Amino acid sequence: GDAEVLFLELDPLQAEVPKPQLLRRLEETFVSVVNDVGVDLNAAVAFTHRRAPLQFVGGLGPRKALALVQAVQRAEHGAAVQSREALEAAGVLGPVVFKNAAGSLRICLRSLGPEDGALDLNPLDDSRVHPELYPIAHQLCSEMLREELDAAGLQGEERTNAAVQMVMSRAAERAAREAQKAEEARREVEAANAAAAQMGEPPEPLPLPYRPCPLRLPFLRQALRQSEHVDRDELGQRDLRDVLYDVDMHAYAEQLRRDRGGAHVRASLELIKQELRFPGLDPRSEPAELRPEQEFRLVTGEDAAEMYAGRLVRGQVEFVQDKFARVRLENGVAGFLPISELSDDFGVISMRDHLREGMLLDAVIAPGGIDWERLSVRLSTKQSALADAALDRARVHPSDAQYFEREPSAEERELARQEQSMRRMEQERREGAGTRRQWQPRAIKHPLFQNLTRVQAQAHLAQRPVGEGLFRPSSKGTDHVTLTWKVDDGVYSHVDIKELDKTSALALGHRLRIFDEIYADMDEVQVRFLEPLHALARRLRRSPKFHPGTAQDIERELQAEHARDPRRVHYLVGHNARYPGAFLFFFHHKGRVRREVIVLHPNGYRVQRQVVGERPQDVINHFKKAFAKRSQSRAPGPAPPAPASTAVQAVGAPTAVA
């Protein structure tokens, strides 16, 4: 039954979670992953062991998935399904179910042979592009390859299918070449490291293997989250410059919006671009290689919290020689007892005089005696070691220290004193604020919501990594909440969120609005708003033109650079101290430093209400183009690299003035 999945031990504390709740969360995870990856429909129909994921496709379920398999078998008479369109045309799926499930039902080329008409397969059927978006994909590819298609004289459906085939095949060829180059570079570094090892020199780090990764779309599920230490956006696309690489999807979406009477297709275009450039790409991360400790736990069921030096164990002697004995512990782990660890008495000549096969033995794990790779431990039966192990129950293992109270250190007492002082100052400020409206605690159940003040939220996030955030009550009333996120060390942005469709005063609204964008819940705010903003801020901080200091520090730096080389226009990027969460573009021109506001938006960097791109270089290119355009429109002479700044709606603030 469904409970069989609970036999998988996914976490040491898994047994503490109620089974119904654990089953529900596992089912939600299966649904998310299956719909992100898709299901090969023909493989699921042909092979029984491939059908299990089909029930998690959106719009199906166990009964509808089984009915789908049986309907396909009857309708196609054993032959493979050749298109998504055939599912609806043959009445296999109703219109509503087809609309919900079609994007996750894939007609894969590898499951079709020439006898099944694989050569006529629509490549978009083997993608995450929904059939409703096929016309947009056909139009995009046809416009990108218009000259080649005109030269070939293709028209109609043959033209659109050929355009899609050409775009996807060329992207796959480029990706294969990049993967080959990355593998060659890796082999070169491995050879150099082998030579360096012989000379006693330290090895060079191996380059990352090439794996093309899709754009980090704000609406993708949590399974597409990226690692903090690898910018997978740049890793996957830095060299893969194809016909879609430089397409301005924002401008193209605006054009389609005008042509289609107001329909918003930006998110759909990004998904289409991703599928065309990386056909069939699995959005899941590559499985990480297991560490020896993890393999030890999978095989033996014991981990570092249970197997540590000094632990008292019991086992049965399996084999005895003069100099060593092999012991099988109660948990099944193999133990090795050398003669040097048998006794504190140095007069032991043979272990056969003290041990015999089959006898039970109390021992302790010797210091440094755990061999994770060989799945064995070195034991000791010395009286001194056993005496120390007798106190083992009174000791607190390092992994359990967090569950026990202890005397706070001097640093912790000082930190507590500072926090108490900050709370007292905040209370005095509130009491002196007169009739200023106070925030009211809210009963909102969400992992990121806490009933904290502005100062308390900043103190809490000060100990958390950059990019994390939390939701808290707003002083604007019970129809608002505030998102506080850590932009950088010491820099915090507070974003007002308006609640809509409320059922009660203290309950969270069914819809949330940030500026003009509507979100369904706090999870969607986190994925579609907070995470894209953090990614944009992280890229700016990693830019060589970013300066972490104050505005005065940046101005002094630019003035010094201008003094060294007055012929160039020097520029830097820094935090906007007035409106945290936004940045400032500083440049030196005509004897003084000027500023331009850079606002973070989920779709990219916004300058003067215009999204200019998702990379720091796009911002710099924007100012360079503005400088060139301004220079052409004016009389000869120096000109600023960008127009004068105007009021800009920034994250956490209504306006920002340079």
Side-chain angles (χ1 to χ4, degrees), residues 442-476:
R442 305 282 300 276
I444 297 176
K445 294 182 179 180
H446 190 273
L448 296 182
F449 181 85
Q450 298 191 41
N451 283 303
L452 300 176
T453 65
R454 179 191 185 103
V455 176
Q456 291 171 343
Q458 293 182 178
H460 173 78
L461 292 176
Q463 310 300 323
R464 308 298 301 168
V466 173
E468 288 200 7
L470 59 85
F471 298 93
R472 59 183 179 85
S474 173
S475 60
K476 293 186 176 181

Side-chain angles (χ1 to χ4, degrees), residues 421-433:
S421 177
M422 291 176 61
R423 287 195 296 268
R424 185 171 59 253
M425 293 174 59
E426 176 67 12
Q427 182 65 25
E428 293 175 354
R429 184 190 65 80
R430 287 177 172 273
E431 292 175 355

Side-chain angles (χ1 to χ4, degrees), residues 186-196:
R186 187 179 184 87
R187 286 197 295 266
E188 291 178 1
V189 175
E190 289 178 345
N193 286 343

Side-chain angles (χ1 to χ4, degrees), residues 124 127 129-130 132-144 160 163-164 167 244 252 256 260 268-269 272-273 276:
L124 293 177
S127 70
V129 179
H130 196 277
E132 293 180 347
L133 302 177
Y134 284 5
I136 299 178
H138 292 155
Q139 179 179 346
L140 176 62
C141 295
S142 299
E143 292 184 1
M144 294 301 103
T160 56
V164 174
V167 170
L244 295 178
Y252 194 76
L256 289 179
R260 293 173 177 268
S268 301
L269 277 175
I272 292 171
K273 179 180 177 180
L276 292 176

Side-chain angles (χ1 to χ4, degrees), residues 29-271:
T29 302
F30 290 150
V31 170
S32 298
V33 174
V34 168
N35 285 277
D36 282 334
V37 178
V39 177
D40 185 344
L41 178 59
N42 288 311
V45 173
F47 304 103
T48 306
H49 69 281
R50 299 286 297 274
R51 296 176 186 174
L54 199 60
Q55 61 183 307
F56 301 109
V57 171
L60 296 183
R63 285 183 291 183
K64 289 184 180 179
L66 179 60
L68 171 61
V69 172
Q70 296 173 349
V72 170
Q73 292 173 340
R74 291 194 303 268
E76 302 296 334
H77 304 289
V81 179
Q82 299 184 18
S83 67
R84 288 171 171 171
E85 183 182 0
L87 294 174
E88 187 177 25
V92 174
L93 292 178
V96 176
V97 177
F98 177 80
K99 183 176 181 179
N100 292 331
S104 300
L105 297 176
R106 304 175 64 168
I107 312 300
C108 299
L109 178 63
R110 59 180 174 270
S111 300
L112 294 173
E115 67 278 3
D116 295 317
L119 298 179
D120 298 328
L121 179 69
N122 185 346
L124 293 177
D125 284 342
D126 189 11
S127 70
R128 286 178 283 269
V129 179
H130 196 277
E132 293 180 347
L133 302 177
Y134 284 5
I136 299 178
H138 292 155
Q139 179 179 346
L140 176 62
C141 295
S142 299
E143 292 184 1
M144 294 301 103
L145 302 175
R146 180 178 302 172
E147 296 182 359
E148 296 185 41
L149 297 174
D150 290 342
L154 299 177
Q155 299 295 332
E157 183 177 355
E158 184 181 8
R159 178 187 180 95
T160 56
N161 289 338
V164 174
Q165 289 274 14
M166 292 166 65
V167 170
M168 298 181 72
S169 61
R170 292 177 184 179
E173 292 172 0
R174 287 183 174 88
R177 288 197 297 268
E178 294 302 326
Q180 183 178 0
K181 289 195 299 183
E183 182 61 27
E184 292 174 354
R186 187 179 184 87
R187 286 197 295 266
E188 291 178 1
V189 175
E190 289 178 345
N193 286 343
Q198 296 178 356
M199 301 176 63
E201 298 179 356
E204 295 290 335
L206 293 176
L208 292 172
Y210 177 82
R211 181 178 184 267
C213 299
L215 286 171
R216 189 185 184 193
L217 303 180
F219 59 85
L220 287 183
R221 294 182 181 273
Q222 191 172 358
L224 286 175
R225 287 186 178 178
Q226 303 167 340
S227 301
E228 287 291 334
H229 60 283
V230 178
D231 195 336
R232 295 171 62 192
D233 292 351
E234 298 177 1
L235 173 66
Q237 305 188 63
R238 58 190 175 195
D239 298 317
L240 189 58
R241 302 188 66 90
D242 49 32
V243 293
L244 295 178
Y245 179 82
D246 294 319
V247 176
D248 187 349
M249 286 298 174
H250 179 73
Y252 194 76
E254 287 297 318
Q255 176 186 340
L256 289 179
R257 184 181 65 82
R258 292 191 297 267
D259 296 343
R260 293 173 177 268
H264 296 282
V265 295
R266 171 66 189 275
S268 301
L269 277 175
E270 293 291 358
L271 177 62

